[in-house]
Amino acid sequence: PVGLDHGEGIILGTHHEKGAFTFWSYAIGLPLPSSAILSWKFCHVLHKVLRDGHPNVLQDCQRYRSNIRETGDLWGHLHDRYGQLVSIYTRLLLTKISFHAKHPEFPPGLEVSDEVLEKTAGTDVNNIFQLTVELFDYLDCELRLSESVFRQLNTSMAISQMSAVQCRLAPLIQVIQDCSHLYHYAVKLMFKLHSSPSPPPLQAVFLSPFSSLKNFFKKASDMLYFKRLIQIPRLPESPPNFLRASALAEHVKPVVVIPEEAPEDEEPENLIEISTASTTEPQVTSDVFEQTFGPPNGIRDDRDAQIESLKKEVDMLRAEMEKIKLEAQRYITQLKAQVNSLEGEVEEQRKQKQKALVDNEQLRDELEKLQRVKQDSDRSQRLCAEAEKKASATEIRYTKLKEKHSELINTHAELLRKGTLPSARQGPTNADTAKQLTVTQQSQEEVARVKEQLAFQVEQVKREAEMKLEDQSVQMEQLRQELDARRDELDQAQRSLSHAKQAGAELNAQVEALHAEKEVLRRSVSEKECELLSTRGLIEEKELQLSQEADKATREIRELQGRLLEKSNQEQNLQQKLLDEQFGILQETVREAEDILRDAVAKLDDPLHVRCTSSPDYLLSRAQAALESTDALENGHAQYVASMADAAGLVGALALFAHLTADTIVNGSATSHLAPTDHADRLMETCRDCGQRSLDYLGELKDKQTLGHAELGDVRRALRGVLQLAQELRPKSLDIKQEELGDMVEKEMASTSEAIEDAVRRIEEMMSQARNKSSGVKLEVNERFSSFQAIRLLVTTSTNLQKEIVESGRGAATTQEFYAKNSRWTEGLISASKAVGWGATQLVESADRVVLHTGKYEELIVCSHEIAASTAQLVAASKV
């Protein structure tokens, strides 16, 4: 492909010159008709100059449109792979020049703002439609070139990094830049067209270039060559819906990004190949070893310093050689360019000289023709003079014959007057006279006929001579004019030929001077090559030394590498062992936590746990602590996933979580024993669900595959459910003002006493009925219900004790003030009295169902335990 430095140099030259005159002066002399690859590269450079050059480049390119068209037509008729691409590329360049010349608001780089686009399109629908069609034609030329390039590249060539493939792909960078802007402007104008009252049917027309451009961008973005040179935008999966005006806001302008420092395609080839791979790798390994274990014996060897100094010298020599080579190549390139330009000028002068010689030959041929025409005219004049002489001779003969004829007539008349001659002599005389008359008549007729013929011939000759003279005079006049013009042209050609000879002599002198300068440069290059050869010998000696030192260092480094590898293996084994131990500790902790949680879940269905009770406040504190422990557990889990060598945080958080969650489940079960049936069932189910969710989470921690994805969301939701139910079960007295606590206590104690009295009454009724109908074991069971009297006595005693406490402790304060001062004791008393009243009611109902054979004895046992626990709670709450 075209070198990056060459293209940038030409573009900078156009800005410096403010035009492309110098570029075209060199481009005209290029042998484009003889090389398709050279024509392809010329089109690429012209495209770059049009895009990034000075704005006046467009005007200069307008003058050479015919040259571009001739090049494209020439290669379009030939069956050449590059030739077909050149033909398509020239059509694209001509379309580009025509479009930007017609619309100067669009620069050749196609970067304009939306305001400029709106101003250029205007408000007339016809103008917008025309501009949209021209943009589509422009975009179609760009896409046709890209399709032709990809069509010529097969899959293997497209993946490889061959220079031939890059030569074809390089111009597509400018095509991608143009297409991104053209697509954006086309979308804008299409939305503007469809906003008119009668939009033209262009939706279907837009689909073809959209799909082609999308495929082009996709293919180009998948190729490694474009990935390092340009960032290609992605088009949407479907074209915009122009019938929906809001779709314009969803349109995103495709932006092409060119890296600031693009990698160079062509790098100068080193004159001397120096392989440093064998020394670089051991040195890097040695550096790693020394960084790990330090230098041997704590002292740096002198050989390392020598090696580093030799490497520095080699790098300096290599840099100097590269610099010398670059300068020589640059100078040779400049000289070649100058020689090519001079040869082009010499060739132009040679063409002009050949043209002048051809014109001179043509003038000579025309001069010979004029001379021949002049000779023909002289010959015609001589023939005319001879004809005139013949006519005069004929006139003389005619005059003589006429005189003789008149003489004969006179003689004959005299003879007729002399009739007195003798008859003998008269006979012969008449006969002679008759003969003479006959001869005279014949002569007279012949003379008349000859005279007529001569007169006709003379007249005809005169007419022909006059016509020829007229034609010859006209031709002579024309030939004189042409001769004068040819003489002027010949003089001018001779003058131009003399100038060309002078210019040729000057060019020959310049060429000779350049050849001499080239010879001097060749000699200097040979001297530099000699210096390089001597430097190569020195470098080879240094390399030999370096190789010997490197071999020795390599052996030492291999031994050290073996030790390092052994230690690294040991470290890896220890690391793996540490990971296994940490995972084993985690699994033991998980199993222990599962046992704790299973034991807590099992207590939900344990009949022995029925006697255990707990308050909603304590359950609330336990559930809150368990919920807070999930945060520490989540942090420990994240730390372990990030670094599996340390499981301490996760193990500690897991143990705390298991104990707090199990405590929450156990206390939830105990709290449900004092809660209403509906709340108790819900609390039991929530605690069971919390235990199951926790066990599921622990099960995920036991598998390495699911360890990283384990989440606490379900566990937290279950704990929040326990918190919510505990909050609902808290005594409502907490919401009562402290001034109302005293009245509340008295009311609750009174209602509890009434409930106990009612229960005792119902029990006595059932016992009286049971005595009449039962005997034996049933009677013994029924008699046991007399313990209810003791419960009533206990409640009465607790009430009295509570009153004594209030009287002894309130002092000068009122009962309500005492209750408000000791609000927590008061709340406990209220809760205990409610529990006793509820337990008594449940016990009576259970006993009623047992007597009626509709209930179970187990329910009666549970209610007995419940009333016993509630009574104990009331006794404890009555104390201060």
Side-chain angles (χ1 to χ4, degrees):
V2 179
L4 184 62
D5 295 335
H6 297 86
E8 291 180 353
I10 295 172
I11 292 170
L12 291 175
T14 59
H15 286 281
H16 179 71
E17 190 184 32
K18 292 183 173 42
F21 178 76
T22 304
F23 168 74
W24 279 108
S25 64
Y26 283 93
I28 291 175
L30 295 175
L32 299 180
S34 61
S35 175
I37 298 178
L38 181 60
S39 302
W40 174 254
K41 292 184 177 181
F42 164 73
C43 293
H44 182 197
V45 173
L46 180 58
H47 197 172
K48 295 179 70 174
V49 169
L50 279 171
R51 277 190 55 84
D52 303 327
H54 194 270
N56 293 335
V57 170
L58 184 63
Q59 299 177 0
D60 295 335
C61 293
Q62 283 275 58
R63 305 187 186 98
Y64 298 93
R65 287 170 54 88
S66 58
N67 300 77
I68 301 173
R69 185 179 292 105
E70 289 174 0
T71 303
D73 294 339
L74 171 65
W75 288 110
H77 295 301
L78 300 177
H79 298 285
D80 184 83
R81 294 175 65 84
Y82 268 103
Q84 299 299 323
L85 294 178
V86 170
S87 177
I88 297 172
Y89 209 167
T90 52
R91 286 199 290 270
L92 169 59
L93 293 175
L94 292 173
T95 303
K96 186 179 185 68
I97 293 171
S98 301
F99 178 82
H100 293 292
K102 184 177 180 181
H103 302 285
E105 299 86 2
F106 291 91
L110 288 171
E111 293 184 0
V112 296
S113 61
D114 294 338
E115 292 78 10
V116 175
L117 179 65
E118 293 287 338
K119 184 178 179 182
T120 305
T123 57
D124 189 2
V125 178
N126 296 325
N127 295 337
I128 300 173
F129 178 81
Q130 182 64 29
L131 182 58
T132 307
V133 172
E134 292 176 359
L135 285 175
F136 279 146
D137 294 339
Y138 197 168
L139 182 60
D140 184 65
C141 293
E142 302 272 2
L143 295 175
R144 192 178 296 116
L145 177 61
S146 64
E147 291 172 357
S148 302
V149 171
F150 283 123
R151 194 182 301 115
Q152 289 193 9
L153 297 178
N154 54 30
T155 306
S156 61
M157 292 180 65
I159 295 174
S160 66
Q161 295 298 312
M162 299 172 59
S163 59
V165 177
Q166 294 181 1
C167 185
R168 286 182 171 91
L169 294 177
L172 296 186
I173 295 176
Q174 283 71 40
V175 174
I176 292 171
Q177 291 176 311
D178 289 346
C179 289
S180 64
H181 294 293
L182 292 173
Y183 169 78
H184 175 64
Y185 301 151
V187 170
K188 287 281 188 180
L189 293 178
M190 287 287 288
F191 274 108
K192 192 168 185 179
L193 278 175
H194 283 77
S195 64
S196 61
S198 57
L202 291 178
Q203 180 77 20
V205 178
F206 183 81
L207 293 177
S208 176
F210 174 81
S211 59
S212 301
L213 183 60
K214 182 179 177 182
N215 293 333
F216 170 40
F217 280 2
K218 186 176 184 302
K219 289 181 181 178
S221 60
D222 293 338
M223 300 186 73
L224 182 61
Y225 175 75
F226 291 107
K227 288 182 179 179
R228 63 190 183 92
L229 294 177
I230 188 172
Q231 182 178 347
I232 303 173
R234 290 279 185 180
L235 294 183
E237 293 297 327
S238 59
N241 186 6
F242 300 110
L243 300 177
R244 186 167 56 90
S246 60
L248 179 59
E250 302 172 0
H251 169 66
V252 179
K253 179 181 179 181
V255 179
V256 177
V257 179
I258 301 292
E260 294 180 0
E261 296 180 2
E264 295 181 358
D265 294 332
E266 298 178 357
E267 295 181 359
E269 185 180 1
N270 293 329
L271 293 175
I272 299 177
E273 295 292 337
I274 300 175
S275 178
T276 59
S278 61
T279 60
T280 303
E281 183 177 359
Q283 183 66 29
V284 173
T285 310
S286 177
D287 292 341
V288 174
F289 182 80
E290 290 179 3
Q291 290 176 4
T292 307
F293 300 101
N297 298 328
I299 301 173
R300 187 176 180 84
D301 197 352
D302 294 338
R303 292 174 297 178
D304 296 334
Q306 293 179 0
I307 290 172
E308 290 181 359
S309 62
L310 290 174
K311 282 185 178 180
K312 290 179 181 179
E313 292 179 4
V314 170
D315 293 336
M316 292 173 61
L317 291 173
R318 187 184 293 111
E320 186 176 356
M321 285 187 296
E322 290 179 356
K323 185 177 180 182
I324 292 170
K325 183 182 176 183
L326 287 174
E327 291 179 356
Q329 287 181 349
R330 190 179 297 110
Y331 203 38
I332 289 171
T333 304
Q334 293 177 358
L335 290 175
K336 285 182 179 179
Q338 293 179 3
V339 169
N340 290 332
S341 63
L342 292 174
E343 287 178 354
E345 293 179 1
V346 170
E347 186 66 25
E348 187 68 24
Q349 296 296 335
R350 189 179 293 113
K351 290 180 181 178
Q352 292 181 0
K353 181 179 178 181
Q354 189 69 24
K355 185 178 180 181
L357 291 175
V358 172
D359 293 340
N360 194 8
E361 290 295 331
Q362 291 178 356
L363 291 173
R364 286 179 182 176
D365 294 339
E366 292 178 358
L367 183 60
E368 290 177 358
K369 289 180 181 179
L370 290 173
Q371 289 177 354
R372 287 196 296 271
V373 170
K374 186 176 180 182
Q375 290 176 1
D376 293 338
S377 63
D378 294 338
R379 190 180 301 110
S380 298
Q381 289 179 358
R382 286 196 299 273
L383 290 174
C384 185
E386 290 177 358
E388 289 179 353
K389 289 179 180 179
K390 287 181 181 180
S392 61
T394 305
E395 287 287 342
I396 293 170
R397 285 182 61 192
Y398 176 74
T399 304
K400 289 180 179 179
L401 287 173
K402 187 176 181 180
E403 290 177 353
K404 190 175 181 180
H405 181 264
S406 61
E407 184 180 354
L408 288 174
I409 291 174
N410 294 328
T411 304
H412 181 67
E414 288 178 358
L415 290 175
L416 289 177
R417 284 193 302 269
K418 293 177 178 181
T420 60
L421 292 176
S423 59
R425 298 176 62 186
Q426 187 176 4
T429 303
N430 292 332
D432 293 335
T433 301
K435 289 180 180 179
Q436 290 179 357
L437 288 173
T438 304
V439 171
T440 301
Q441 289 178 355
Q442 291 176 355
S443 299
Q444 188 176 2
E445 291 176 359
E446 184 178 358
V447 168
R449 187 169 60 255
V450 170
K451 183 178 180 181
E452 289 178 358
Q453 291 178 355
L454 289 174
F456 179 74
Q457 289 179 358
V458 168
E459 187 67 26
Q460 188 175 3
V461 169
K462 284 182 179 180
R463 283 198 301 271
E464 290 178 356
E466 289 177 357
M467 291 175 66
K468 286 182 178 181
L469 285 174
E470 289 179 359
D471 294 337
Q472 289 175 358
S473 62
V474 173
Q475 291 178 0
M476 286 292 291
E477 186 65 26
Q478 293 178 354
L479 290 174
R480 284 194 190 93
Q481 294 176 359
E482 292 181 0
L483 183 61
D484 294 337
R486 294 296 181 182
R487 283 175 181 172
D488 295 337
E489 292 179 0
L490 182 60
D491 294 338
Q492 187 176 0
Q494 288 177 351
R495 286 194 298 272
S496 63
L497 183 61
S498 62
H499 291 311
K501 288 180 179 179
Q502 293 176 0
E506 293 176 358
L507 290 174
N508 290 329
Q510 291 180 3
V511 169
E512 291 176 358
L514 288 174
H515 281 302
E517 191 174 359
K518 185 178 180 181
E519 189 64 28
V520 172
L521 287 173
R522 187 178 290 111
R523 285 196 297 271
S524 65
V525 169
S526 62
E527 292 175 359
K528 295 292 183 182
E529 288 179 352
C530 294
E531 293 178 2
L532 290 174
L533 290 175
S534 62
T535 307
R536 181 181 296 176
L538 179 61
I539 290 173
E540 288 177 354
E541 294 177 1
K542 300 291 184 183
E543 282 184 348
L544 182 60
Q545 264 182 345
L546 287 173
S547 62
Q548 294 174 354
E549 297 291 336
D551 291 338
K552 186 176 180 181
T554 302
R555 288 192 296 273
E556 296 176 356
I557 288 169
R558 284 177 181 172
E559 294 177 0
L560 296 174
Q561 279 181 343
R563 297 177 186 174
L564 181 61
L565 182 61
E566 184 178 357
K567 289 189 177 183
S568 64
N569 291 333
Q570 292 178 359
E571 184 180 355
Q572 289 179 359
N573 294 332
L574 292 174
Q575 185 71 18
Q576 186 62 36
K577 186 176 180 181
L578 176 62
L579 293 176
D580 294 339
E581 289 178 355
Q582 293 293 321
F583 187 72
I585 293 171
L586 177 62
Q587 296 308 308
E588 291 296 332
T589 306
V590 170
R591 281 193 288 273
E592 186 66 25
E594 285 180 343
D595 293 339
I596 293 172
L597 289 172
R598 287 195 184 97
D599 181 65
V601 173
K603 288 182 180 179
L604 295 175
D605 300 325
D606 189 2
L608 299 178
H609 188 257
V610 174
R611 296 185 179 182
C612 298
T613 59
S614 178
S615 66
D617 292 332
Y618 186 72
L619 174 62
L620 189 64
S621 63
R622 293 294 87 196
Q624 185 65 35
L627 185 61
E628 292 175 355
S629 69
T630 58
D631 297 334
L633 180 60
E634 187 174 14
N635 294 332
H637 178 259
Q639 292 176 1
Y640 180 72
V641 170
S643 175
M644 292 190 174
D646 184 13
L650 181 58
V651 169
L654 198 58
L656 178 62
F657 167 75
H659 284 90
L660 291 175
T661 305
D663 195 12
T664 301
I665 295 172
V666 171
N667 282 280
S669 175
T671 304
S672 67
H673 297 157
L674 298 178
T677 305
D678 186 21
H679 286 78
D681 295 341
R682 287 168 55 195
L683 185 58
M684 290 288 286
E685 290 298 325
T686 305
C687 291
R688 187 175 284 105
D689 182 64
C690 179
Q692 186 61 41
R693 298 298 182 185
S694 301
L695 290 173
D696 293 341
Y697 174 74
L698 294 177
E700 291 180 355
L701 295 181
K702 293 172 68 176
D703 191 358
K704 287 185 178 181
Q705 295 181 353
T706 60
L707 177 63
H709 305 290
E711 294 182 357
L712 287 165
D714 296 337
V715 178
R716 283 174 175 158
R717 282 192 291 273
L719 289 173
R720 289 192 184 97
V722 174
L723 275 173
Q724 184 178 359
L725 289 172
Q727 189 70 30
E728 292 177 0
L729 290 174
R730 291 184 66 190
K732 298 301 184 292
S733 59
L734 296 177
D735 299 332
I736 301 173
K737 296 180 181 180
Q738 292 184 351
E739 293 79 4
E740 301 176 358
L741 286 176
D743 298 334
M744 187 74 180
V745 171
E746 294 178 357
K747 290 179 181 178
E748 289 296 332
M749 294 300 292
S751 62
T752 302
S753 299
E754 291 177 0
I756 293 296
E757 291 293 335
D758 184 57
V760 169
R761 181 179 52 77
R762 292 179 61 185
I763 287 295
E764 289 178 351
E765 292 177 357
M766 286 188 291
M767 289 178 65
S768 62
Q769 293 175 3
R771 289 192 187 97
N772 298 327
K773 298 179 182 180
S774 303
S775 63
V777 177
K778 293 183 179 180
L779 183 60
E780 182 180 357
V781 172
N782 293 333
E783 288 295 334
R784 288 182 181 179
F785 282 107
S786 61
S787 61
F788 220 98
Q789 298 289 337
I791 295 173
R792 182 177 62 178
L793 179 61
L794 180 61
V795 171
T796 304
T797 305
S798 298
T799 304
N800 296 330
L801 177 61
Q802 176 248 340
K803 290 180 179 180
E804 291 177 2
I805 291 171
V806 171
E807 291 296 332
S808 63
R810 68 186 179 89
T814 60
T815 304
Q816 286 79 8
E817 290 177 353
F818 178 80
Y819 284 136
K821 182 179 180 181
N822 300 276
S823 59
R824 299 195 61 176
W825 173 74
T826 305
E827 292 172 358
L829 190 61
I830 294 171
S831 176
S833 61
K834 283 186 177 181
V836 170
W838 178 79
T841 305
Q842 292 295 323
L843 181 61
V844 172
E845 292 178 355
S846 298
D848 192 11
R849 286 195 295 271
V850 169
V851 171
L852 297 176
H853 303 288
T854 58
K856 296 180 180 180
Y857 286 101
E858 286 80 0
E859 295 180 3
L860 190 60
I861 293 170
V862 171
C863 290
S864 300
H865 289 305
E866 182 67 26
I867 193 66
S870 300
T871 307
Q873 183 180 1
L874 179 61
V875 173
S878 298
K879 299 178 181 180
V880 178

